[in-house]
Amino acid sequence: MPNGSLSLAATLYLLAFDPGSGKPVTHLGYLVQAGALTELAQRELLVDAEGCPKPLPDARTGDPALDGLLEVIEESRPRTWGTWVGHHAQLTEKAVRHQLRAAGYVHVTSRRVLGVFPVKEYGLERSQLVAEMRDEAVRVLYGAQPAAEVSERDAALIALAAAGGVTTVVTHKDIKAHRRRIAELEARSGAPGAALGGVVDHVRAGLAAAVATALSAATTAAATTTN
């Protein structure tokens, strides 16, 4: 899996790791699910059916994580785009992580909490390459290239990074200082048609809501533990 063949979901997974702490800065499951949904929509393998994603007959990509999501959606009852950001997101995350481990991008370490409960922790293996990917993404955000000339994939990456709290790429300060640029890239991520733009909007909104809910729940849990 060379860098150029990474899916949008896999790229977002890697970029979400803080190079300092080695920990993800946001909820990886929601993020990769949103990336997978967006890529499948951009590739026109998922179409909109009354506000819900619907796979085209026999739609396949050759990417196990993306094809797995297509199969799950195909076998499930209709759900909105935003709902799918969180539904079975752990399956897509696991599939993406497996790909990245096999390709040498991610390593795993095992430890036991309280000496009893086994826990697996994942970290970056090819950190320099990921740093270069991060720099490239930031150049899209800060760059002088008109949004209309940015690829749909790169535009979606910035849009989802902003919505999903990937502060390693789009910081809170960036969201305020580059609001117009981010909005232009959000619009570009849904090209070429208005229908696809609506789909990407729903996915992005679902991601933002899911991450906000997860963050609120984590904060509440931490406060309860402290008290």
Side-chain angles (χ1 to χ4, degrees), residues 54-152:
K54 179 180 179 181
L56 291 181
D58 301 319
R60 291 296 179 268
T61 66
D63 181 296
L66 297 180
D67 289 344
L69 180 56
L70 283 170
E71 291 177 9
V72 170
I73 294 175
E74 195 171 40
E75 296 169 358
S76 301
R77 66 175 177 80
R79 291 180 172 82
T80 65
W81 291 91
T83 299
W84 269 110
V85 169
H87 193 68
H88 288 315
Q90 74 279 5
L91 298 179
T92 306
E93 179 190 357
K94 183 177 180 180
V96 166
R97 187 171 61 235
H98 178 77
Q99 288 177 293
L100 293 173
R101 280 190 65 192
Y105 283 90
V106 173
H107 66 262
V108 60
T109 56
S110 299
R111 64 183 181 89
R112 290 186 178 274
V113 177
L114 301 177
V116 178
F117 305 103
V119 174
K120 290 185 177 180
E121 296 180 339
Y122 297 89
L124 297 181
E125 188 68 28
R126 303 169 68 178
S127 55
Q128 181 56 43
L129 181 56
V130 175
E132 293 172 3
M133 293 166 57
R134 185 177 296 110
D135 290 343
E136 184 177 342
V138 171
R139 280 195 294 271
V140 173
L141 174 61
Y142 291 174
Q145 183 182 24
E149 297 178 7
V150 174
S151 71
E152 295 170 31

